[in-house]
């Protein structure tokens, strides 16, 4: 059992935050950002070419973090690799001691920095989960037996603010059937919406970690409302961010307030920090979350 | 039908560099509807090339351009014009270009880029509905193709990215998975989809180049 899995199984309020690998080989900033999270979160997600922007690999970064004493969550998308490469990376992850895997489809290549690339998407998040589960059973997707079985703790994502919500819940159910053992959500800022979502999701019996993108400015909030699907930042937050002279303090205040309102509804918190990892300790302290 | 788009004339001219006499080949079917290789476009191409100092030895519209027997038959009728030409400029899909080469033995040049298998929504408006995956799942998805109409080709349900029912990749398009969901609800087949096993496409079906030979009398045998 991974540490993340143990925390969720024990019913602890579980916290993850993400770091992004660099564009290039200089990992110093990523490692510095991770340091802010040490002993503050249960595990650190490592994004896989987030927004389809080519970067250092998630798996290599996970390994570096593990060597530095962190518990990594390997984010794996189906955008860039066919089933041979995906299965191989899953085996590699397990062999390197990286067992938390967040299975994603990924953004389309047209949104990233190599729009000329071939979008692979041979598997999707559901079939990737199914594939990982099969590997754990000692058999690959083609039915061949493995010498040595990998071990995984499989996660997936869900978008509570999706319209129609029922369709997201159906997909969530399909992911669970395929092998998902925990969920991290897309960012949610509306407790009422999250309550409605959790009414449907808690029946499914799999831990859900509330996702949160730290808002750096009113402009960023407006941008997300316009461009990020399933995310809606309420007007009161935008107003507060607009009025303030101290964006960091206000952003933290907002996050803390919302976490307090929503933490009882779910099993954990997933912070998407986008470079603001250094503010995670303050957020968790003010929200009264100690791991 | 096969949707084509004319290459820029400058690119065509570059490909014809060093060649003086050209024979033009059009197609009466898809390329005519796409306005890339019907009679109108072939006649216009002839005028353009002549303006640029080329000699057009003749032209033919094949019915259709992708049929080898048809091409051989028509090329026999135009034997002399073709013999005089340095090359053939073929104004049809890529299949037609290669058939023209096979039937004539001449150097060929494509005048179009071949884009996709399209449906005709209205005159001059083509839409890709099927990408010929070889394992049709339309029965399961309410008659709407996720392999083609979802840019990620997702077979097991939507990504989280649709906004106001529109696709995250191209907001001009509706998210086909929301349409599939609505349709399955409407026809009472959502349960069947949910109960279906995880879908994984078998790409061995798509090994290129694909070919199919109809077995003669197969139907009769099957009926026995
Ligand atoms: S599933 Fe889609 S791409 Fe495949 S044959 Fe059917 S319509 Fe065509
Ligand atoms: S928004 Fe819908 S159509 Fe577009 S990529 Fe996602 S699932 Fe596919």
């Amino acid at each position: 059992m991974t540490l993340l899995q143990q925390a969720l199984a024990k019913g602890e309020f579980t916290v993850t935050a993400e770091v992004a690998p660099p564009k290039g080989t200089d990992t110093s900033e990523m490692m510095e950002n991770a340091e802010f999270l040490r002993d503050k979160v249960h595990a650190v997600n490592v994004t896989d070419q987030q927004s389809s922007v080519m970067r250092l690999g998630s798996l290599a970064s996970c390994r570096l973090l593990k060597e530095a004493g962190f518990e990594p969550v390997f984010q794996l998308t189906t955008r860039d690799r066919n089933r041979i490469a995906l299965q191989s990376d899953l085996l590699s992850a397990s062999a390197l001691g990286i067992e938390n895997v967040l299975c994603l489809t990924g953004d389309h290549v047209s949104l990233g920095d190599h729009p000329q690339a071939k979008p692979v998407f041979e598997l999707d998040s559901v079939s990737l989960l199914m594939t990982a589960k099969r590997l754990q059973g000692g058999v690959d997707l083609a039915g061949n037996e493995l010498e040595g079985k990998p071990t995984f703790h499989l996660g997936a994502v869900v978008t509570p603010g999706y319209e129609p919500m029922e369709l997201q819940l159906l997909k969530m159910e399909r992911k669970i059937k395929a092998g998902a053992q925990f969920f991290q959500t897309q960012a949610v800022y509306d407790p009422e919406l999250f309550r409605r979502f959790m009414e449907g999701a808690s029946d499914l019996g799999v831990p859900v970690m509330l996702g949160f993108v730290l808002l750096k400015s009113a402009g960023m909030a407006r941008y997300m409302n316009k461009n990020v699907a399933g995310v809606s930042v309420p007007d009161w937050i935008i107003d507060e961010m607009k009025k303030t002279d101290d964006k960091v303090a206000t952003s933290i205040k907002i996050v803390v307030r919302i976490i307090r309102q929503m933490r009882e509804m779910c099993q954990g918190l997933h912070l998407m920090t986008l470079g603001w990892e250094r503010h995670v300790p303050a957020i968790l302290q003010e929200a009264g979350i100690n791991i | 039908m096969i949707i084509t788009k004319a290459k820029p004339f400058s690119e065509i001219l570059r490909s014809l560099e060093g060649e003086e006499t050209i024979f033009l080949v059009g197609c009466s079917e898809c390329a005519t509807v796409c306005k890339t290789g019907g009679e109108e476009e072939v006649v216009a191409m002839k005028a353009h090339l002549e303006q640029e100092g080329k000699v057009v030895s003749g032209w033919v519209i094949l019915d259709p351009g992708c049929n080898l027997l048809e091409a051989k038959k028509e090329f026999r009728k135009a034997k002399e014009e073709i013999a005089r030409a340095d090359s053939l400029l073929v104004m049809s899909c890529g299949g037609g270009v290669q058939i023209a080469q096979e039937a004539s033995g001449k150097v060929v040049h494509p005048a179009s880029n071949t884009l996709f298998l399209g449906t005709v929504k209205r005159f001059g408006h083509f839409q890709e509905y099927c990408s010929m995956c070889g394992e049709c799942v339309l029965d399961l998805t309410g008659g709407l193709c996720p392999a083609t109409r979802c840019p990620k080709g997702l077979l097991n349900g939507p990504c989280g990215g649709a906004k106001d029912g529109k696709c995250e990749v191209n907001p001009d398009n509706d998210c086909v998975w929301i349409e599939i969901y609505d349709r399955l609800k409407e026809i009472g087949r959502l349960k069947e989809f949910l109960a279906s096993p995880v879908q994984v496409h078998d790409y061995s079906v798509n090994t290129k180049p694909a070919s199919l030979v109809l077995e003669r009398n197969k139907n009769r045998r099957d009926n026995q």
Side-chain angles (χ1 to χ4, degrees):
Chain A
M1 260 205 201
T2 70
L3 296 174
L4 176 63
Q5 196 170 6
Q6 281 170 25
L8 288 167
K10 272 192 266 171
E12 280 176 42
F13 191 77
T14 304
V15 185
T16 53
E18 71 181 24
V19 297
K23 177 104 189 162
T25 55
D26 180 358
T27 54
S28 53
E29 196 185 325
M30 175 182 76
M31 298 309 284
E32 280 161 26
N33 283 336
E35 275 316 315
F36 294 115
L37 307 174
R38 193 181 286 282
D39 301 328
K40 302 284 185 266
V41 300
H42 289 91
V44 178
N45 278 50
V46 185
T47 52
D48 178 15
Q49 336 271 354
Q50 194 170 17
S51 310
S52 308
V53 172
M54 192 285 292
R55 287 164 176 274
L56 183 75
S58 174
L59 183 52
S61 304
C62 282
R63 178 65 195 184
L64 292 174
L65 287 163
K66 194 174 169 70
E67 282 166 8
F70 293 96
E71 161 94 348
V73 179
F74 172 34
Q75 297 198 181
L76 180 62
T77 72
T78 66
R79 176 191 53 236
D80 310 312
R81 279 157 281 199
N82 70 7
R83 68 192 74 185
I84 297 175
L86 287 169
Q87 291 180 100
S88 173
D89 280 357
L90 282 166
L91 295 181
S92 304
S94 184
L96 292 172
I98 290 143
E99 298 177 345
N100 300 306
V101 185
L102 191 77
C103 297
L104 304 153
T105 297
D107 292 319
H108 197 267
V109 297
S110 62
L111 307 174
D113 71 344
H114 285 62
Q116 307 83 359
K118 179 174 184 174
V120 180
F121 297 116
E122 186 183 296
L123 301 182
D124 56 25
S125 51
V126 178
S127 44
L128 180 60
L129 286 161
M130 183 267 277
T131 302
K133 197 171 161 183
R134 257 180 99 127
L135 292 175
Q136 287 194 83
V139 186
D140 71 12
L141 204 49
N144 306 303
E145 263 180 51
L146 304 177
E147 279 169 42
K149 298 177 197 176
T151 314
F152 300 118
H153 174 228
L154 299 173
V157 296
V158 62
T159 307
Y162 189 89
E163 270 300 320
M165 190 187 278
E166 194 204 353
L167 180 52
Q168 264 308 284
L169 287 168
L170 292 177
K171 175 106 186 225
M172 188 177 172
E173 201 179 330
R174 224 170 145 73
K175 286 182 176 178
I176 294 169
K177 271 196 215 154
Q181 296 165 279
F182 71 97
F183 283 83
Q184 293 176 327
T185 77
Q186 177 58 283
V188 191
Y189 299 91
D190 178 351
E192 188 41 38
L193 180 143
F194 192 58
R195 195 188 50 72
R196 269 194 297 127
F197 170 76
M198 284 308 296
E199 269 171 23
S202 38
D203 289 347
L204 301 174
V206 169
V208 173
M209 305 175 72
L210 165 70
F212 233 90
V213 173
L214 298 190
L215 296 170
K216 297 182 181 174
S217 65
M220 175 180 168
R222 277 194 296 264
Y223 177 87
M224 296 213 318
N225 278 347
K226 199 162 157 248
N227 298 298
V228 183
V231 175
S232 124
V233 184
D235 288 340
W236 70 264
I237 294 182
I238 299 181
D239 285 345
E240 283 195 23
M241 288 301 287
K242 211 159 47 190
K243 275 188 289 188
T244 183
D245 293 328
D246 188 344
K247 289 195 169 39
V248 172
T250 307
S251 176
I252 293 177
K253 210 177 74 201
I254 292 169
V255 180
V256 168
R257 190 151 119 202
I258 299 177
I259 293 173
R260 286 219 179 101
Q261 287 175 318
M262 298 204 245
R263 67 174 288 179
E264 294 305 320
M265 303 178 199
C266 58
Q267 289 70 44
L269 178 67
H270 174 57
L271 291 168
M272 292 167 266
T273 40
L274 307 176
W276 268 20
E277 288 82 348
R278 63 185 176 280
H279 301 306
V280 169
I283 292 170
L284 294 175
Q285 197 192 355
E286 285 186 37
I289 298 170
N290 290 308
I291 69 160
Chain B
M1 71 174 59
I2 305 301
I3 307 306
T4 48
K5 193 172 170 206
K7 281 181 182 284
F9 187 61
S10 56
E11 184 185 335
I12 294 174
L13 267 188
R14 259 198 316 277
S15 72
L16 298 177
E17 238 167 46
E19 293 171 355
E20 205 175 296
T21 308
I22 315 293
F23 183 84
L24 302 178
V25 182
C27 164
S28 68
E29 295 285 338
C30 310
T32 294
V33 179
C34 292
K35 300 195 117 345
T36 50
E39 185 164 338
E40 200 183 318
E41 293 76 39
V42 171
V43 169
M45 178 63 78
K46 176 173 185 288
H48 272 125
L49 289 175
E50 285 168 351
Q51 255 169 28
E52 297 293 329
K54 304 278 184 197
V55 176
V56 174
S57 66
W59 54 272
V60 62
I61 309 284
L62 299 180
D63 181 18
C66 56
N67 184 322
L68 183 62
L69 296 180
E70 159 76 5
K72 280 186 173 160
K73 186 179 87 199
E74 292 300 316
F75 286 178
R76 264 198 300 277
K77 291 186 203 158
K79 206 166 149 197
E80 283 185 2
E81 291 101 311
I82 291 176
R84 252 192 297 137
D86 296 313
S87 69
L88 270 47
L89 179 64
V90 188
M91 301 170 67
S92 66
C93 72
V97 177
Q98 297 174 63
I99 283 296
Q101 170 149 287
E102 216 168 308
S104 68
K106 302 289 288 190
V107 171
V108 292
H109 302 286
S112 305
N113 289 320
T114 303
L115 303 178
F116 57 93
L117 167 64
T119 54
V120 185
K121 297 292 293 254
R122 50 179 183 274
F123 185 74
H125 179 166
F126 311 110
Q127 192 80 42
E128 188 177 21
Y129 271 13
C130 170
S131 37
M132 304 178 287
C133 76
E135 281 187 326
C136 197
V137 299
L138 287 177
D139 187 55
L140 203 60
T141 57
L144 294 145
C145 175
T148 309
R149 296 168 73 175
C150 164
K152 299 178 189 168
L154 303 180
L155 296 180
N156 292 292
C159 72
K163 209 165 174 74
D164 304 320
K166 299 292 179 187
C167 173
E168 70 163 7
V169 180
N170 179 356
D172 290 341
N173 295 334
D174 292 327
C175 167
V176 75
W177 268 108
I178 294 181
E179 294 184 301
I180 290 171
Y181 168 71
D182 289 341
R183 181 65 182 154
L184 288 175
K185 266 207 315 206
E186 193 179 315
I187 61 175
R189 303 219 27 193
L190 198 52
K191 267 215 303 286
E192 282 82 348
F193 172 72
L194 290 174
S196 67
V198 175
Q199 299 289 315
V200 180
H201 180 66
D202 176 0
Y203 280 89
S204 70
V205 172
N206 307 107
T207 305
K208 291 181 191 305
S211 68
L212 176 70
V213 181
L214 295 184
E215 283 175 48
R216 228 179 252 170
N217 301 329
K218 183 167 187 302
N219 283 344
R220 206 187 320 148
R221 245 201 343 261
D222 285 351
N223 290 340
Q224 272 168 7

